Amino acid sequence: MMAILPELVLTAGALFYFVVSLFKTPDIRLQRLSGMVIGLLVFITVCLTLSQQTSLFYGAYAVDSYSQMFKLLISFAFFIVVIFGQHLKGISDEVRPEYTMFLLLSVLGLMMLVSSVELIAIFISLELSSFALYLLVPLRDDRTGVRVQMEAGIKYILFGVMATGFLLYGMSYLFGLTGSTYLVDIVPALQTIASQPAVLIAVLLVLAGFFYKLGVFPLHFWVPDIYQGASNETTGFIATVPKLAAVALLIRFMTLPTGQPDFLVQLFSVIAVCSMFYGNLSALVQTDIKRMLGFSGISHAGFIMLGLLSMGADGYGLAVYYIAGYVLMNLACFLVICQVSRDGENLAIADLAGLHKRQPLLAIVLAVSLFALAGIPPFVGFMGKFFLLTSALQQGHLIVVILAAINTAIAIYYYLSVVKVAYTDDPVDETNVNVEPIVKMIGIGLVLMIMLMGALPAKLIETAGSIVQTIM
Amino acid sequence: MDVLLIKEGFPLLSFLIFFPLAGAMVLLVNPKETFAKIWTLVVTTLTAVFSIPLLIGFDSTTAKYQFAELYAWIPQLSINYVVGVDGISILLVILTTFIMPFCVLASWNYISTRVIPFMFCLLIMETAMVGVFVALDFVLFYILWEFMLIPMYLLIAVWGGPRKVYASIKFFLYTLAGSVLLLVAIIALYLKTGSFFIPDMMWNNYSTLFQALVFLAFFLAFAIKVPMFPFHTWLPAAHVEAPTAGSVILASILLKMGTYGMLRFCLPITPEATFLFAPYILWLSIAGILYGGFTALAQHDMKKLIAYSSVGHMGFVTLGIFVLNTKGVEGAIMQMINHGVTTGALFLCVGMIYERTHSRELKLASGVGRFMPWYVTFLVFFSLSSFAFPGTNSFIGEFLVLAGTFEFNIVLALAAIPGAVLAAAYMLRMLQKIVWGGTDNPDQSYLTDLCPREIIILAPFLAFVFWIGLGPQPFIDLIHPSVANLLDQLQQWQQQSVALVNL
């Protein structure tokens, strides 16, 4: 019981909002506060269960240091999202309880996902989180009248179901080849037949399902439209929390032996380079900031692939460090977007003009997170990039590393343009942006964490690497 | 690590790096404009004062890295926090710490909006600049080298002139694009040597191809920072739009990082490639000297004129470095310091006239000599120094560089001579316009002469102009052991490889 306390809190929270949704005019303030309280409770309970080690539900559900590490990251990111998105500006009041309920269910699904070590459990957790997310997108308040959120929702579900199809098909292969749905049994069983091409196909199909979640080329189609179409808070969530779980599961499935590591490495380097170029070149011409961040996310996913390239615990540890840093930087960006957007409308980059006059603190948070995303030292984005490049060059991928370095130079342009707009352009809208004290504190906290993680990476990377080692 | 002389007791270099940073943090909690100005002045002055023990305690008989500090930082990749100074870097550190208080003073009235962030940026800049010159770990170096772009970008973009957006973005993109491959080269060197400690990377037998590639990556990053012709186009834009303090920092210190990088990294880490590429770089330097001179001759904007003169002067520095003899390299280092003093002072002078006329046009500033006698006195001396008039500081540097070049190759030296003549031509043209002008001078009678604050700013620069000009020996003594050591090793290395070829 104790080991799955965070999951139980989330379930209770979702049920609470279900009850709230039955009332005709629920109190907005109560909903807002209880959302934050649940977020905090989940984070605290995860902290309490950090050192738990158990196996539940006939071995399908493992609570170990690996899962708890990801749960810590997920619950932290979720906590930040509920705080800066507490007003749910883009969601109409009528569907507010439902929105929060599905959000909680989605987090629940992701938490279960990182703990699942059995194919069916993985599938169910993934679907729980995905279907809740599919619903969050079209719940956006329809102000524009063109129903972009519906388009985004449909695209998300169609592409999502396709990716799930890949995943399920791959899982069926795995089961067919090994006769088991438990990862612990699959690994040794695969080892004996690793040279068969079917193994490679099965693993690739499963990985494809998670590439979709991470937004890696060529499964990236959904990213820009969904980022733009969903409300700011929803995008802030989609851009951060599910990616953590995607990396967790990618690493889990990367441990499956395929007998063709060279092929996988080649494939991954191509995917990584394509993601970077596609993301960065497309981001150059964007005018909507969420869309730009979407494309930038694709290029960062490419960097995470660099970590997976190494096929070793060290590289996977780096990937975890990188995604944790990426999530922090993105949270900081979305914090700013959610505060600047007055009624939950989309922000063009030009709307940030003169932000430093309207709200200096937000301008600093935005500048730090964008410089960090661009990989300028001493922030976490640079350290992550530096470690990944070092590890990739250690494996001898010189061309990939050079291409990645060139991408850094391309990327700086669009990040810098946003900083430029915030710091040098005159504000179109002169009014100050009001920010609540707690959001300010969170903003400062994120900036400090982005700097500290960048300045003192040694311990974190070591810990991440050794925790990943436990599941290999 | 036997090249380090670890300093026991008070960590002087770390203090010089982190004190300005700590000072900047204080600005965050006490947001008052007057306090910010005074506080920044106090912090930068204290940093300058604390850099004096560095000079006193510096042992100029050894080429080792002194005042060294070594702490483990990221053990997985054997990255350490390691700092130290030698003859090549010590004067640059002192230059940095001593110029900063004057930058603060020069911004006293010039910066009227958002004073606190401005001072914050200045202090952060100082931390990064001192750090770059003393870092002996390549990752530490790279972090500070890149990080510096952010405060400098903001200095230009927020407090700059009318085309600040264009200038600042160009500056940022240009320098960043130059240094991304530097990172790859650093990682590649690490994989060869297993350490990010810079002295460990020196004088290793890398293959020729590897050296050539690493050299090119280094060169691109450093040549853009210097800036060498044809990578100089960001400089005039950035100089013209930056506020006075920004121009001074840019000219006096940032440009030196490029040439410092060449001395510190290119020569000892990739000696073979240095010999391979030196001829091309020498002729690029000549091109820069002549190009800078001719372009400066045609400028109507005072800042642009000085910016192009910088391209020419820095051409002399790279010329001196790549002739690879003692006179040349020592002359180059002296020229780096001299350019820092003289051009910094010239930018301050332009800033002072700008504060009065709100224009940098030569025409609008012509004929101020009658109304600002003090001002033109300073200006004349700095201009004389700029074109290396005997008795001023630049004469020493340029003379050494040219003497070294004559030793190396007479054709090259003859090609550089017109540059020196051009310098006299454009500086005298500027002086003539500003001091006397013509019959069509605008009415300058409203101008007031320098106030005591401004005299205090300029006087120390003048003192250094004559000190280095008349008694350069103490300065050369400081740099000599390290330069001699560097060139000795280079020579040994060359003989070794020649012996290998003869085998």
Side-chain angles (χ1 to χ4, degrees):
Chain A
M1 274 301 274
M2 184 60 198
I4 54 165
L5 201 55
E7 287 91 327
L8 293 177
V9 171
L10 278 166
T11 318
L15 286 174
F16 168 74
Y17 275 95
F18 174 68
V19 174
V20 171
S21 74
L22 299 177
F23 289 92
K24 261 229 165 76
T25 49
D27 183 17
I28 300 284
R29 208 179 118 80
L30 172 81
Q31 290 182 50
R32 192 157 64 86
L33 286 179
S34 46
M36 286 193 281
V37 168
I38 293 171
L40 183 64
L41 266 182
V42 173
F43 182 62
I44 291 173
T45 47
V46 170
C47 288
L48 290 177
T49 55
L50 263 190
S51 54
Q52 294 278 341
Q53 298 270 1
T54 27
S55 180
L56 295 163
F57 309 118
Y58 307 100
Y61 199 85
V63 176
D64 51 18
S65 52
Y66 183 77
S67 71
Q68 297 314 98
M69 167 173 73
F70 277 101
K71 279 181 197 168
L72 183 72
L73 294 172
I74 288 172
S75 61
F76 178 74
F78 171 65
F79 177 55
I80 304 277
V81 171
V82 285
I83 290 203
F84 72 65
Q86 52 177 298
H87 292 291
L88 294 182
K89 291 172 186 164
I91 310 296
S92 78
D93 289 343
E94 295 138 38
V95 291
R96 227 185 136 109
E98 286 87 345
Y99 179 91
T100 319
M101 182 182 83
F102 286 125
L103 190 67
L104 289 168
L105 283 178
S106 181
V107 180
L108 175 65
L110 294 172
M111 288 247 188
M112 285 163 59
L113 190 58
V114 296
S115 263
S116 303
V117 287
E118 193 257 4
L119 296 182
I120 307 292
I122 291 175
F123 182 73
I124 289 175
S125 322
L126 182 69
E127 291 303 87
L128 177 60
S129 78
S130 299
F131 272 93
L133 267 186
Y134 298 150
L135 284 168
L136 290 184
V137 176
L139 279 183
R140 183 177 196 179
D141 207 4
D142 190 42
R143 279 210 190 76
T144 53
V146 288
R147 301 190 170 262
V148 277
Q149 75 277 22
M150 296 304 171
E151 183 197 329
I154 291 291
K155 276 187 180 164
Y156 198 20
I157 196 164
L158 284 183
F159 286 130
V161 167
M162 189 188 70
T164 315
F166 281 136
L167 179 83
L168 207 54
Y169 192 39
M171 283 181 172
S172 73
Y173 263 91
L174 282 182
F175 177 68
L177 288 166
T178 61
S180 167
T181 56
Y182 285 89
L183 284 179
V184 272
D185 300 334
I186 290 177
V187 173
L190 279 185
Q191 230 131 28
T192 54
I193 51 165
S195 54
Q196 284 189 25
V199 177
L200 185 66
I201 291 174
V203 172
L204 276 183
L205 284 171
V206 173
L207 290 180
F210 295 103
F211 283 169
Y212 167 82
K213 278 269 159 211
L214 194 57
V216 186
F217 181 92
L219 293 158
H220 60 274
F221 315 98
W222 62 278
V223 173
D225 287 336
I226 277 80
Y227 272 45
Q228 193 177 14
S231 72
N232 295 333
E233 299 84 5
T234 319
T235 312
F237 182 79
I238 293 176
T240 52
V241 188
K243 296 201 170 178
L244 289 165
V247 170
L249 269 288
L250 274 178
I251 294 175
R252 263 210 209 286
F253 281 101
M254 290 288 291
T255 56
L256 295 185
T258 57
Q260 314 274 346
D262 293 343
F263 174 75
L264 272 187
V265 167
Q266 276 169 6
L267 183 73
F268 277 25
S269 33
V270 171
I271 288 178
V273 170
C274 288
S275 294
M276 289 176 204
F277 272 105
Y278 179 85
N280 280 330
L281 292 178
S282 312
L284 286 177
V285 293
Q286 300 308 322
T287 51
D288 185 294
I289 185 149
K290 280 196 295 176
R291 211 174 164 83
M292 187 208 87
L293 284 173
F295 281 112
S296 114
I298 296 175
S299 79
H300 281 275
F303 268 97
I304 290 164
M305 298 303 292
L306 278 188
L308 302 182
L309 262 186
S310 75
M311 303 264 173
D314 286 347
Y316 298 155
L318 289 180
V320 174
Y321 172 76
Y322 194 89
I323 190 70
Y326 172 76
V327 164
L328 279 182
M329 303 184 273
N330 250 11
L331 284 173
C333 281
F334 278 101
L335 180 142
V336 175
I337 294 171
C338 284
Q339 305 312 310
V340 175
S341 162
R342 184 160 306 139
D343 302 310
E345 74 281 4
N346 268 12
L347 279 187
I349 292 175
D351 292 338
L352 292 166
L355 183 62
H356 74 99
K357 282 187 192 145
R358 299 171 62 197
Q359 178 52 258
L361 181 77
L362 286 186
I364 291 176
V365 173
L366 185 71
V368 167
S369 55
L370 288 174
F371 278 129
L373 279 169
I376 307 279
F379 306 118
V380 61
F382 167 77
M383 267 304 168
K385 214 164 266 190
F386 169 71
F387 274 97
L388 285 177
L389 291 182
T390 310
S391 122
L393 201 54
Q394 226 152 11
Q395 321 269 325
H397 307 293
L398 179 65
I399 305 288
V400 179
V401 169
I402 289 180
L403 291 176
I406 290 172
N407 263 290
T408 314
I410 301 175
I412 182 67
Y413 180 76
Y414 57 87
Y415 294 122
L416 192 60
S417 311
V418 181
V419 177
K420 181 212 90 181
V421 169
Y423 270 90
T424 63
D425 289 7
D426 288 323
V428 188
D429 177 358
E430 295 278 355
T431 50
N432 288 346
V433 180
N434 289 322
V435 184
E436 281 154 354
I438 181 157
V439 177
K440 276 189 183 171
M441 271 163 52
I442 293 284
I444 295 170
L446 283 174
V447 166
L448 286 180
M449 285 178 72
I450 288 173
M451 288 186 191
L452 281 180
M453 267 184 84
L456 305 165
K459 204 84 200 147
L460 296 172
I461 290 174
E462 199 191 310
T463 317
S466 59
I467 288 179
V468 172
Q469 186 71 52
T470 58
I471 63 149
M472 297 199 47
Chain B
M1 304 255 167
D2 54 338
V3 290
L4 292 180
L5 290 175
I6 300 280
K7 181 172 190 307
E8 306 294 335
F10 186 67
L12 190 59
L13 285 179
S14 291
F15 178 81
L16 294 182
I17 297 175
F18 291 109
F19 184 59
L21 187 67
M25 293 306 139
V26 172
L27 288 185
L28 288 182
V29 292
N30 191 348
K32 287 200 192 70
E33 292 199 350
T34 335
F35 168 80
K37 286 181 192 171
I38 296 170
W39 175 250
T40 315
L41 184 63
V42 169
V43 171
T44 48
T45 315
L46 274 180
T47 317
V49 169
F50 273 94
S51 65
I52 294 174
L54 211 59
L55 269 183
I56 297 170
F58 189 79
D59 178 4
S60 58
T61 56
T62 167
K64 290 183 178 179
Y65 300 96
Q66 306 176 32
F67 299 95
E69 294 163 38
L70 173 71
Y71 306 101
W73 181 20
I74 306 173
Q76 288 103 318
L77 296 182
S78 62
I79 298 170
N80 298 310
Y81 171 85
V82 46
V83 293
V85 287
D86 69 346
I88 295 171
S89 54
I90 180 153
L91 285 178
L92 292 168
V93 175
I94 304 285
L95 180 72
T96 309
T97 53
F98 272 75
I99 278 203
M100 289 312 288
F102 300 111
C103 288
V104 180
L105 279 175
S107 315
W108 210 261
N109 296 332
Y110 187 95
I111 301 297
S112 50
T113 53
R114 285 179 262 158
V115 177
I116 300 160
F118 182 85
M119 296 299 168
F120 186 80
C121 283
L122 279 188
L123 289 172
I124 299 273
M125 269 310 277
E126 182 165 16
T127 290
M129 292 187 299
V130 174
V132 160
F133 287 128
V134 299
L136 290 179
D137 184 280
F138 229 140
V139 176
L140 184 63
F141 173 86
Y142 188 83
I143 286 178
L144 294 164
W145 165 275
E146 290 272 272
F147 169 64
M148 199 178 327
L149 296 179
I150 300 176
M152 195 63 214
Y153 165 79
L154 290 174
L155 282 182
I156 302 175
V158 179
W159 292 275
R163 293 180 73 218
K164 57 189 181 181
V165 173
Y166 166 77
S168 55
I169 292 218
K170 191 169 182 178
F171 161 76
F172 200 114
L173 288 183
Y174 230 110
T175 23
L176 188 110
S179 45
V180 287
L181 288 181
L182 178 64
L183 185 65
V184 180
I186 294 173
I187 298 174
L189 280 169
Y190 161 71
L191 294 178
K192 291 263 177 192
T193 59
S195 158
F196 279 109
F197 185 51
I198 293 168
D200 279 356
M201 294 179 174
M202 298 175 177
W203 316 114
N204 287 338
N205 283 316
Y206 310 116
S207 72
T208 312
L209 178 69
F210 181 78
Q211 287 204 20
L213 290 176
V214 169
F215 183 92
L216 287 178
F218 280 172
F219 181 72
L220 188 66
F222 298 140
I224 287 175
K225 202 84 159 189
V226 170
M228 278 183 83
F229 177 83
F231 304 109
H232 63 279
T233 56
W234 64 268
L235 181 74
H239 264 326
V240 169
E241 302 305 330
T244 306
S247 292
V248 174
I249 292 177
L250 206 54
S252 299
I253 304 159
L254 249 60
L255 303 194
K256 308 301 169 304
M257 288 174 185
T259 43
Y260 168 77
M262 290 180 181
L263 269 177
R264 174 71 85 220
F265 305 114
C266 288
L267 265 53
I269 295 180
T270 58
E272 195 175 340
T274 305
F275 285 115
L276 193 67
F277 288 110
Y280 307 103
I281 296 173
L282 289 173
W283 285 106
L284 270 187
S285 310
I286 300 284
I289 294 171
L290 297 180
Y291 173 86
F294 277 116
T295 327
L297 206 47
Q299 296 308 319
H300 296 286
D301 181 311
M302 285 183 276
K303 270 191 162 178
K304 253 193 181 151
L305 191 153
I306 301 172
Y308 278 110
S309 86
S310 289
V311 176
H313 288 145
M314 294 311 284
F316 272 104
V317 178
T318 45
L319 183 69
I321 293 175
F322 282 94
V323 297
L324 301 172
N325 55 35
T326 318
K327 284 201 190 97
V329 175
E330 282 178 7
I333 298 177
M334 289 310 293
Q335 182 72 351
M336 278 153 80
I337 305 299
N338 296 333
H339 180 260
V341 173
T342 306
T343 310
L346 280 172
F347 273 120
L348 288 171
C349 286
V350 174
M352 287 167 189
I353 215 87
Y354 181 79
E355 279 181 56
R356 290 169 169 78
T357 65
H358 299 286
S359 154
R360 298 176 304 260
E361 279 294 309
L362 261 181
K363 267 206 199 92
L364 291 176
S366 56
V368 301
R370 244 182 86 194
F371 306 101
M372 301 176 69
W374 275 100
Y375 175 75
V376 293
T377 314
F378 280 110
L379 188 67
V380 165
F381 281 120
F382 293 134
S383 306
L384 289 180
S385 155
S386 178
F387 65 82
F389 197 73
T392 60
N393 55 349
S394 301
F395 176 72
I396 309 295
E398 238 173 88
F399 177 80
L400 279 170
V401 169
L402 283 175
T405 317
F406 267 109
E407 255 175 49
F408 178 77
N409 182 343
I410 224 165
V411 180
L412 201 67
L414 288 178
I417 296 288
V421 181
L422 277 173
Y426 60 73
M427 284 324 287
L428 288 176
R429 168 176 166 267
M430 186 186 93
L431 266 188
Q432 192 276 333
K433 286 249 165 89
I434 293 183
V435 182
W436 292 285
T439 48
D440 52 348
N441 286 347
D443 180 20
Q444 308 284 32
S445 53
Y446 67 95
L447 291 178
T448 49
D449 207 350
L450 299 187
C451 64
R453 174 179 62 88
E454 291 168 320
I455 293 181
I456 291 174
I457 298 175
L458 291 180
F461 284 90
L462 197 60
F464 272 99
V465 164
F466 285 116
W467 185 5
I468 304 179
L470 299 172
Q473 202 54 44
F475 297 92
I476 294 179
D477 285 343
L478 276 179
I479 59 181
H480 182 73
S482 294
V483 172
N485 176 48
L486 176 71
L487 292 171
D488 270 357
Q489 298 239 42
L490 202 63
Q491 219 159 28
Q492 272 171 27
W493 194 90
Q494 198 181 12
Q495 278 161 2
Q496 242 175 38
S497 54
V498 168
L500 280 176
V501 169
N502 289 342
L503 281 175

